[in-house]
Amino acid sequence: MVKIAVTAESADEARVSISPDTVKKLVALGCEVYVETGAGMRSRFSDDQLKQQGATIVQTATEALSGADVLLKVRRPSTEEFSSLKTGAVVAAMVAPHDDRTGLEAAAKSGASIFSMEFMPRITRAQSMDVLSSQANLAGYKAVVDAASMFDQAMPMMMTAAGTVPAAKTFIMGVGVAGLQAIATARRLGSIVTATDVRPATKEQVQSLGAKFIAIEDEEFKQAQTAAGYAKPMSEAYQKKQAELVANHIKNQDVVITTALIPGRPAPRLISRAMVESMKPGAVIIDLAAERGGNCELTKAGEIVDHGGVRIAGPLNLPGTVPVNASSLYAKNLLTFLQLMIDKDGAGLKIDWEDEIIKGTLVARDGAIVHPALAPKEG
Ligand code: NAD
């Protein structure tokens, strides 16, 4: 029988790697699920609820980990957790593989097979395992809700006997998964929404959500999407034209949500200090790229900066502020991923090391870091 362990996350992480729903499904697959007491509490999954679905609640992380075949986590497990695992155990988590290389090497030495959910290939078959999408969607939603609550005015237009309240103007920069949900949420709140991106495919998506698309649509823009569906870094000439367009537009905006990212690079700088200074006091910028250096020059990761009355927030873990949904979706992503590995009768793990999804997410195996994206750089 496959033994699955779930331990509590650190104090700054409210999400958890299972839900009552996924416990039930894992048990139905023939697995045993051991959960450290209280691990689901911050996602409102009580020990009792998990127990009702078939989980075994244990008092300590060590008890959960002892003899486990699989450890499911949100963040990278601690050194102690890795050392409590048996050799060859499977670990699936958002391990932030580019961070803390020394820690990752030590984790690899435990002999665990470590899977990084952030490396999930963006192919149709893996869509239901795509943690970046499931979490970015919630981040896009929450960014707008937080902006609306920080904003000193109402979002929708209201025509009342005492006068008219104008609709807020919201500008979304970067229209990937988070940006699309931000557009939809801002529209639902009654805001007038504009959006920009460098990938031509986003134009129609923006318009279909009832927002206005603005961008420099030159020859470079037409080629700006990679085969994998991501944005390319843009040339200096393009960035200059884009900055002029943004400068003209942003000064009239009330709320700006930035989500622009380029894989493996620092976030593109889209909002300069001068642009912030052109905005009205009371305007709000939420920079979802804060962790990767920020899309705004004045962003400070994890803080809210007030610059002449314009507030710039650089939240670090927005999905973690809607933990009930974020955990449910993340747990579902993990369940679908695990189903690839669990033998049909639940008797054991049967991993096809050649599977594109397994290969794409496997960071470490047999004591060494094995993912090509983590190979030491030459020279
Ligand atoms: P992301 O987080 O890498 O980037 C966010 C957005 O920022 C992207 O739309 C990008 O084009 C944009 N951006 C980058 N540089 C910019 C700049 N200088 N100015 C303005 N915008 C800029 O993107 P994501 O949300 O991960 O989505 C990327 C793509 O992957 C999309 O096409 C999405 O539809 C696709 N996708 C596919 C799957 C799948 O098939 N399984 C799953 C999820 C996403």
Side-chain angles (χ1 to χ4, degrees), residues 353-368:
W353 299 102
E354 291 310 309
D355 184 308
E356 189 183 0
I357 294 175
I358 298 291
K359 256 184 160 168
T361 48
L362 183 67
V363 161
R365 189 183 172 197
D366 295 337

Side-chain angles (χ1 to χ4, degrees), residues 121-124 126-127 130 132-133 136 173-180 196-199 201-202 205 225 228-232 234 238-239 242 259-263 268 270:
R122 285 188 142 177
I123 53 173
T124 309
Q127 246 169 8
D130 185 347
L132 292 184
S133 291
M173 305 184 73
V175 191
V177 179
L180 285 172
T196 189
D197 203 294
V198 290
R199 290 183 299 114
T202 58
Q205 295 166 353
Q225 178 157 325
Y230 290 107
K232 288 182 191 164
M234 304 305 276
Y238 186 93
Q239 287 177 43
Q242 187 185 28
T259 77
L261 290 175
I262 299 160
L270 302 177

Side-chain angles (χ1 to χ4, degrees), residues 171 173 196-197 214-216 239-253 256 258 269-272 275-276 278-279 295:
F171 183 35
M173 305 184 73
T196 189
D197 203 294
I214 58 161
I216 301 292
Q239 287 177 43
K240 195 160 171 278
K241 286 190 273 181
Q242 187 185 28
E244 277 166 28
L245 179 87
V246 172
N248 269 324
H249 186 65
I250 210 165
K251 56 178 187 256
N252 298 317
Q253 300 302 308
V256 181
T258 72
R269 209 24 82 67
L270 302 177
I271 305 177
S272 64
M275 290 181 199
V276 174
S278 76
M279 295 172 76
N295 292 138

